[in-house]
């Protein structure tokens, strides 16, 4: 009984603190980091509640209060992750046109891990799945050369951004790219790629590919830059109303965080995972410490043919493959719209992110 009580105290404290931390409106990594492990915290809270009930036979006020706190925290965590399970309704509709058609687009995104040398695993997987568009991040010049050797003939249209800082990015496409542009929205060494393509049926799709820095003691101390970039792209898409849009990449954010949900409300884009599953992509080598960091969001005139988390390629991320179908007739869910204070919050977040980067540059000088 004593061991169960101690276990309940330890696990319950971790779970309750982890549940409360994201409510603190600061961007520091040690606060924002609790946005990620909601599944793990829900499990710890559930286990703690069981240990507490089994080790406390008295129904006094303290025991009842602790039980209520643990159960409430568990239910709250479950509420936040429920939309990313098959128990929830789907955000993006299933495609009606399942056979390959001129309105289909298959996209694969892969954080390769710059220090990973198993290029053969990625190249063989790409050859097997044959996506129309491939996005690779953390790709430096060495990775670029290896992929060119294996896939260069397959993907004649490319946007190479080889950087040695773990934020290199390469776009590989079978479809001609329209006005491709490399942008540095917040930090001058963190690129993103923006372009358009035409489907075989002639319909134009705008593409945004992102890889902002995560809040981390070894990278960005705060989530300020990441949140600012997501808000900035969300507002850009909002201004291009009624366009067919896909946003994809390693966002270094989870779909249930405040910053990601704000991005969805600003952009009006759908998350194909909602109602289908979490498709946790990181960490590929630690089964108990996984959450979805690699994302695809799209406009409501696109329907989902297939969505997969692909096999291990030697990276700390699993690749993701999605096939979308242009089906405007099925355009039922128009996506979320900004809430009352969202636009003001987004502008403040962007201003704060740019100011934070300006301060960092001054300090470096």
């Amino acid at each position: 009984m004593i061991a169960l009580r101690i276990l309940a105290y330890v696990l319950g404290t971790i779970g309750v603190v982890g549940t409360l931390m994201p409510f603190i409106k600061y961007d520091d990594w040690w606060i924002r980091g609790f946005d990620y492990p909601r599944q793990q915290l829900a499990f710890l809270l559930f286990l703690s509640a069981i240990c507490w009930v089994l080790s406390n036979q008295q129904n006094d006020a303290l025991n009842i209060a602790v039980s209520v706190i643990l159960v409430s925290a568990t239910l709250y965590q479950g509420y936040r992750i429920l939309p990313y399970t098959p128990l929830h309704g789907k955000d993006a509709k299933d495609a009606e046109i399942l056979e390959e058609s001129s309105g289909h687009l298959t996209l694969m995104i892969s954080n390769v891990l710059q220090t990973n040398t198993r290029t053969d695993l990625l190249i063989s997987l790409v050859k097997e799945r044959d996506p129309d568009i491939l996005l690779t991040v953390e790709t430096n010049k060495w990775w670029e050369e290896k992929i060119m050797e294996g896939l260069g003939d397959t993907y004649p249209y490319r946007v190479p951004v080889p950087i040695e800082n773990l934020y290199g990015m390469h776009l590989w496409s079978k479809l001609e790219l329209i006005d491709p542009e490399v942008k540095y929205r917040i930090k001058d060494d963190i690129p993103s790629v923006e372009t358009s393509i035409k489907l075989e049926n002639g319909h134009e799709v705008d593409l945004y590919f992102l890889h902002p820095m995560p809040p981390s003691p070894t990278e960005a101390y705060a989530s300020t830059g990441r949140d600012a970039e997501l808000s900035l792209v969300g507002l850009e898409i909002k201004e291009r109303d009624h366009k067919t849009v896909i946003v994809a990449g390693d966002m270094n954010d989870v779909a249930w965080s405040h910053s990601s949900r704000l991005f969805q409300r600003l952009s009006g884009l759908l998350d194909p995972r909602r109602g289908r599953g979490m498709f946790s992509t990181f960490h590929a080598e630690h089964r108990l410490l996984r959450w979805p960091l690699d994302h695809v969001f799209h406009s409501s005139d696109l329907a989902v043919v297939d969505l997969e988390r692909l096999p291990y390629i030697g990276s700390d991320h699993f690749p993701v493959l999605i096939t979308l179908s242009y089906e405007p007739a099925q355009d039922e869910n128009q996506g979320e719209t900004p809430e009352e204070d969202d636009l003001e919050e987004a502008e403040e977040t962007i201003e704060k992110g740019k100011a934070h980067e300006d301060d960092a540059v001054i300090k470096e000088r």
Side-chain angles (χ1 to χ4, degrees), residues 100-142:
E100 186 174 349
S101 80
S102 61
H104 280 194
L105 178 69
T106 299
L107 167 66
M108 178 175 168
I109 59 176
S110 179
N111 181 323
V112 303
L113 183 63
Q114 184 175 301
T115 56
N116 172 26
T117 59
R118 294 302 308 272
T119 57
D120 58 308
L121 293 178
L122 175 67
I123 291 170
S124 63
L125 185 60
V126 173
K127 287 181 177 179
E128 176 189 344
R129 307 314 296 266
D130 195 31
D132 300 308
I133 295 176
L134 168 67
L135 175 73
T136 59
V137 298
E138 290 200 28
T139 39
N140 57 6
K141 193 65 178 179
W142 183 84

Side-chain angles (χ1 to χ4, degrees), residues 94-105 201 303-306 323-330:
D94 290 324
E96 293 183 350
I97 305 171
L98 299 179
E99 298 298 324
E100 186 174 349
S101 80
S102 61
H104 280 194
L105 178 69
N201 64 8
V304 179
V305 178
D306 191 30
T323 300
L324 297 167
S325 176
Y326 176 63
E327 299 182 14
Q330 205 187 98

Side-chain angles (χ1 to χ4, degrees), residues 12-272:
T13 299
I14 295 172
V16 171
V17 170
T19 299
L20 295 175
M21 289 295 275
F23 287 99
I24 301 175
K25 294 185 177 181
Y26 287 99
D27 296 342
D28 305 63
W29 69 267
W30 55 274
I31 296 174
R32 296 277 64 85
F34 285 97
D35 285 330
Y36 296 86
R38 291 199 180 274
Q39 302 170 79
Q40 291 81 1
L41 289 172
F43 176 76
L44 292 182
L45 287 162
F46 178 71
L47 189 59
S48 174
I50 292 176
C51 291
W52 182 263
V53 170
L54 292 177
S55 64
N56 291 273
Q57 303 300 323
Q58 299 177 354
N59 292 324
D60 56 36
L62 174 62
N63 289 335
I64 292 173
V66 171
S67 298
V68 169
I69 290 172
L70 293 175
V71 171
S72 298
T74 305
L75 291 175
Y76 174 76
Q77 294 289 9
Y79 164 76
R80 294 298 300 272
I81 63 179
L82 178 65
Y84 306 94
T85 71
L87 299 175
H88 192 273
K90 293 178 180 177
D91 197 355
K93 300 299 182 181
D94 290 324
E96 293 183 350
I97 305 171
L98 299 179
E99 298 298 324
E100 186 174 349
S101 80
S102 61
H104 280 194
L105 178 69
T106 299
L107 167 66
M108 178 175 168
I109 59 176
S110 179
N111 181 323
V112 303
L113 183 63
Q114 184 175 301
T115 56
N116 172 26
T117 59
R118 294 302 308 272
T119 57
D120 58 308
L121 293 178
L122 175 67
I123 291 170
S124 63
L125 185 60
V126 173
K127 287 181 177 179
E128 176 189 344
R129 307 314 296 266
D130 195 31
D132 300 308
I133 295 176
L134 168 67
L135 175 73
T136 59
V137 298
E138 290 200 28
T139 39
N140 57 6
K141 193 65 178 179
W142 183 84
W143 264 95
E144 178 185 313
E145 292 171 355
K146 294 297 183 181
I147 296 177
M148 277 293 297
E149 291 175 9
L151 300 170
D153 293 339
T154 305
Y155 296 99
Y157 305 103
R158 299 181 285 268
V159 180
V161 193
I163 306 177
E164 301 295 331
N165 65 351
L166 304 180
Y167 288 91
M169 177 180 291
H170 288 73
L171 180 61
W172 314 80
S173 179
K174 294 180 181 180
L175 304 173
E176 184 176 359
L177 302 175
I178 303 171
D179 299 327
E181 185 177 0
V182 178
K183 291 188 174 182
Y184 298 85
R185 287 184 169 85
I186 301 297
K187 290 180 64 64
D188 59 10
D189 58 350
I190 306 295
S192 62
V193 174
E194 183 178 333
T195 187
S196 298
I197 53 100
K198 280 189 178 179
L199 302 176
E200 289 183 16
N201 64 8
H203 186 74
E204 192 167 307
V205 181
D206 291 342
L207 304 173
Y208 297 78
F209 298 106
L210 311 177
H211 184 209
M213 293 183 75
S216 161
T218 59
E219 296 190 62
Y221 179 82
S223 66
T224 311
R226 180 201 67 189
D227 299 346
E229 184 166 357
L230 290 176
S231 291
L232 190 56
V233 173
L235 289 176
E236 288 177 14
I237 294 170
K238 182 178 181 297
E239 293 173 359
R240 300 183 180 185
D241 197 18
H242 305 301
K243 299 278 282 186
T244 302
V245 175
I246 297 173
V247 178
D250 173 8
M251 311 294 191
N252 279 314
D253 198 8
V254 283
W256 48 71
S257 73
H258 177 73
S259 45
S260 282
R261 290 184 294 133
L262 174 62
F263 165 78
Q264 273 201 265
R265 292 194 300 272
L266 293 171
S267 65
L269 300 184
L270 307 179
D271 186 342

